[in-house]
Amino acid sequence: MEQRTYNQYCATARTLDLVGERWTLLLIRELLTGPKRFGDLQASLRGLGTGLLAARLKHLEREGLAHKITLPPPARTPAYALTEAGDELGPAILELAQWGLKWAMGERRETETFHPGWAVLGLRACFNAEAAAGLRAVYEFRVDDEVFHARIDDGTIEALHGPAQHPDATVTISEEAFVSLTGQGLTFADALESGAASASGDSEALHSLRGLFPLPPPRTRKA
């Protein structure tokens, strides 16, 4: 596949030469939360055909943004992971997510797919480090069949797929309610108060949840 270029000696243009093609940044988004098998990527990126997915992965490999690995036991299957260069695109992806939550989200369209696992990066994008100062707690989130967790350590966050070994608090919410939270600018704490979500665990950790993941008030792009 011929690679298009802006033919500009500019850092922004050179970067877009590498990641500006359709689906490329979304592939990097998926790999930012850990290695993924080809089938995992297909499941998360519905609408991306097998041939184009293979081409985009080859492009990422060729440009030094991703590479093939073998997952550790018990999986022992081939997968794709980001290189150091690919991983350093993380802050840019999170900035795009933060901008999108404020200026681009709104209500979900009927044709749009949604995967609860995308919230792993969403937690990082919405994380309020000031509200987490001095806090050490592990939160597990269950959105229908999807489980992920966040480890808070004095103003820092590590968000990962899968259950936590020893969560201090567990939040359970349906996918439908979770989508509503994403589009309406509410927080998990708001969902708990309204009954859209339920929670269990350490009362102090649950109390601290308020303010940890605030969504920016939605704004309109039109004057």
Side-chain angles (χ1 to χ4, degrees), residues 29-44:
R29 177 199 68 187
E30 295 300 311
L31 295 175
L32 279 170
T33 57
K36 301 288 187 303
R37 296 169 296 186
F38 192 92
D40 297 330
L41 295 169
Q42 276 188 311
S44 294

Side-chain angles (χ1 to χ4, degrees), residues 4-177:
R4 291 181 289 186
T5 176
Y6 288 101
N7 283 318
Q8 294 182 8
Y9 189 60
C10 159
T12 303
R14 283 284 187 93
T15 302
L16 290 175
D17 282 347
L18 296 175
V19 300
E21 291 282 2
R22 191 165 181 255
W23 294 106
T24 302
L25 280 178
L26 294 186
L27 267 174
I28 294 171
R29 177 199 68 187
E30 295 300 311
L31 295 175
L32 279 170
T33 57
K36 301 288 187 303
R37 296 169 296 186
F38 192 92
D40 297 330
L41 295 169
Q42 276 188 311
S44 294
L45 298 171
R46 299 171 192 170
L48 174 57
T50 302
L52 186 54
L53 173 56
R56 289 289 182 264
L57 287 170
K58 286 181 180 178
H59 167 76
L60 292 179
E61 285 186 272
R62 183 173 61 249
E63 298 298 341
L65 299 176
H67 61 117
K68 291 179 181 176
I69 66 167
T70 300
L71 294 176
R76 298 184 187 275
T77 55
Y80 293 87
L82 292 176
T83 62
E84 180 183 3
D87 192 61
E88 286 196 6
L89 286 165
I93 300 289
L94 292 181
E95 287 288 341
L96 284 173
Q98 290 167 356
W99 185 92
L101 286 167
K102 183 177 181 179
W103 294 102
M105 285 296 286
E107 294 185 1
R108 181 182 178 183
R109 305 184 186 105
E110 291 184 3
T111 56
E112 290 180 323
T113 61
F114 176 77
H115 193 278
W118 295 336
V120 173
L121 275 187
L123 291 176
R124 299 183 198 174
C126 300
F127 180 59
N128 183 350
E130 292 184 3
L135 175 64
R136 288 177 174 81
V138 178
Y139 296 91
E140 182 173 284
F141 300 95
R142 301 174 181 174
V143 185
D144 287 350
D145 295 332
E146 189 81 31
V147 182
F148 48 93
H149 67 277
R151 184 180 301 277
I152 311 299
D153 186 3
D154 191 19
T156 65
I157 181 173
E158 180 185 30
L160 299 168
H161 290 284
Q165 288 188 338
H166 303 289
D168 295 292
T170 301
V171 177
T172 303
I173 186 171
S174 69
E175 181 177 317
E176 181 181 359

Side-chain angles (χ1 to χ4, degrees), residues 149-211:
H149 67 277
R151 184 180 301 277
I152 311 299
D153 186 3
D154 191 19
T156 65
I157 181 173
E158 180 185 30
L160 299 168
H161 290 284
Q165 288 188 338
H166 303 289
D168 295 292
T170 301
V171 177
T172 303
I173 186 171
S174 69
E175 181 177 317
E176 181 181 359
F178 187 76
V179 170
S180 297
L181 292 179
T182 305
Q184 295 176 8
L186 304 178
T187 66
F188 276 112
D190 296 324
L192 292 172
E193 289 184 359
S194 68
S198 62
S200 61
D202 180 75
S203 58
E204 188 173 336
L206 289 172
H207 178 74
S208 298
L209 183 61
R210 175 179 294 279

